[in-house]
Amino acid sequence: MIAQTAEDGPEFHGPSINEFFPEVLFDIVGIPVTRIHLIQFLSTIAIVVIFVLGTRRMRIVPKPFQSIVEMGLDFVRVNIAEDLLGKKDGRRFLPILTTIFFMILFMNITGVIPFLNLAGTSIIAVPLLLALVSYVTFIYAGIKKSPKNFFKNSLFPSGVPWPIYIIVTPIELISTFVIRPVTLTLRLLMNMMVGHLLLVLFFAATQFFLLDLGGWWSALAAGSLAFGFAFTLFEILVAVLQAYVFTILTAVYIQLAVAEEH
């Protein structure tokens, strides 16, 4: 019925992958800037402003805004860095873990903010950059901890019979030094792309049923609108969860790299 109605009347235009390749708005020193780049700039500015204002005049009895900022910082410090790396190594890698967490969180959350409606992590540049940072960090941590044995222990785990290394070593090479950055990149990128496409689908359907078709089709608009709001809440959860997963996996990789057997 929807297809027949679309043939006789207005046509429904669903979300397209082209939304992640917006038109160039202007150039900065020859570098093209799109809408997504502006969202990334705004996210970065928001991070700096919030943490500068939240930590500029610290008080023993904090005001509500300072308390919120401290809660966020303590969450990364206690629940990620120190829980996985201990106090010593957690303190060493806390700045990079904190940066990764809040950078992903702020750029993810723009996907549900009106008039922005796109996550800064929905193009591959940011997820790939953060994955490379994570990759370099855990390799640096391993080499720093044990310059001579890091790669040896990573590729040749102890306790394995020598003939089995023919199978184990290529698997460890691919899983440790290839799959890790690839999965970090794709997990974040695809989650934010799919979330955006779903939200656009539901809200575009609402507009189509309500404004373009009208009549009794408006009943379907109520359903698609309800799904749109439900998935908006779900997308907020995904935005936080993806920041947490990316950061905690980075901490796990560092923890494995600095383990005593290395």
Side-chain angles (χ1 to χ4, degrees):
M1 292 179 62
I2 296 175
Q4 182 63 40
T5 303
E7 290 179 1
D8 299 337
E11 182 178 355
F12 175 70
H13 297 282
S16 168
I17 198 72
N18 292 328
E19 295 189 33
F20 303 104
F21 302 93
E23 296 181 359
V24 176
L25 300 177
F26 54 87
D27 291 345
I28 298 179
V29 195
I31 300 175
V33 176
T34 67
R35 177 179 164 219
I36 298 182
H37 296 136
L38 289 180
I39 291 172
Q40 293 170 346
F41 296 156
L42 289 174
S43 301
T44 304
I45 293 170
I47 294 172
V48 173
V49 170
I50 287 174
F51 281 101
V52 167
L53 294 179
T55 60
R56 184 175 54 176
R57 297 176 181 175
M58 304 288 284
R59 300 188 179 189
I60 297 177
V61 180
K63 291 186 175 181
F65 186 65
Q66 180 185 330
S67 296
I68 294 173
V69 173
E70 287 182 351
M71 286 173 57
L73 294 173
D74 284 343
F75 174 78
V76 179
R77 179 178 61 84
V78 176
N79 295 287
I80 298 179
E82 292 183 358
D83 275 2
L84 288 170
L85 301 174
K87 290 189 177 294
K88 181 180 177 182
D89 286 326
R91 192 178 302 112
R92 285 176 59 204
F93 295 100
L94 180 59
I96 199 164
L97 294 174
T98 302
T99 301
I100 288 174
F101 179 82
F102 285 104
M103 183 175 177
I104 295 175
L105 177 61
F106 275 67
M107 290 199 179
N108 283 355
I109 210 70
T110 58
V112 297
I113 295 178
F115 306 110
L116 297 180
N117 301 116
L118 267 174
T121 50
S122 60
I123 57 175
I124 197 169
V126 172
L128 180 59
L129 173 62
L130 294 172
L132 290 175
V133 170
S134 173
Y135 184 73
V136 170
T137 301
F138 85 78
I139 291 178
Y140 162 80
I143 294 175
K144 184 76 173 178
K145 178 73 175 182
S146 182
K148 296 180 180 179
N149 297 323
F150 171 65
F151 289 105
K152 173 179 175 295
N153 290 332
S154 296
L155 300 177
F156 300 93
S158 60
V160 177
W162 276 101
I164 306 300
Y165 282 131
I166 297 174
I167 300 174
V168 171
T169 299
I171 294 175
E172 290 295 327
L173 174 64
I174 294 173
S175 64
T176 302
F177 298 103
V178 177
I179 292 181
R180 284 182 183 179
V182 172
T183 53
L184 282 175
T185 302
L186 294 182
R187 182 186 297 107
L188 177 57
L189 175 67
M190 294 304 173
N191 271 282
M192 302 322 297
M193 288 182 66
V194 170
H196 172 75
L197 292 175
L198 282 172
L199 290 179
V200 171
L201 175 63
F202 286 124
F203 288 121
T206 300
Q207 178 180 329
F208 180 69
F209 290 136
L210 185 63
L211 301 181
D212 294 337
L213 296 183
W216 66 273
W217 291 101
S218 299
L220 292 179
S224 61
L225 182 63
F227 274 108
F229 280 120
F231 270 85
T232 297
L233 297 176
F234 181 71
E235 189 66 9
I236 294 172
L237 174 63
V238 170
V240 178
L241 186 61
Q242 286 302 311
Y244 176 73
V245 169
F246 197 109
T247 309
I248 204 166
L249 284 176
T250 300
V252 168
Y253 297 155
I254 295 171
Q255 192 273 335
L256 293 173
V258 300
E260 288 301 324
E261 58 264 27
H262 287 147

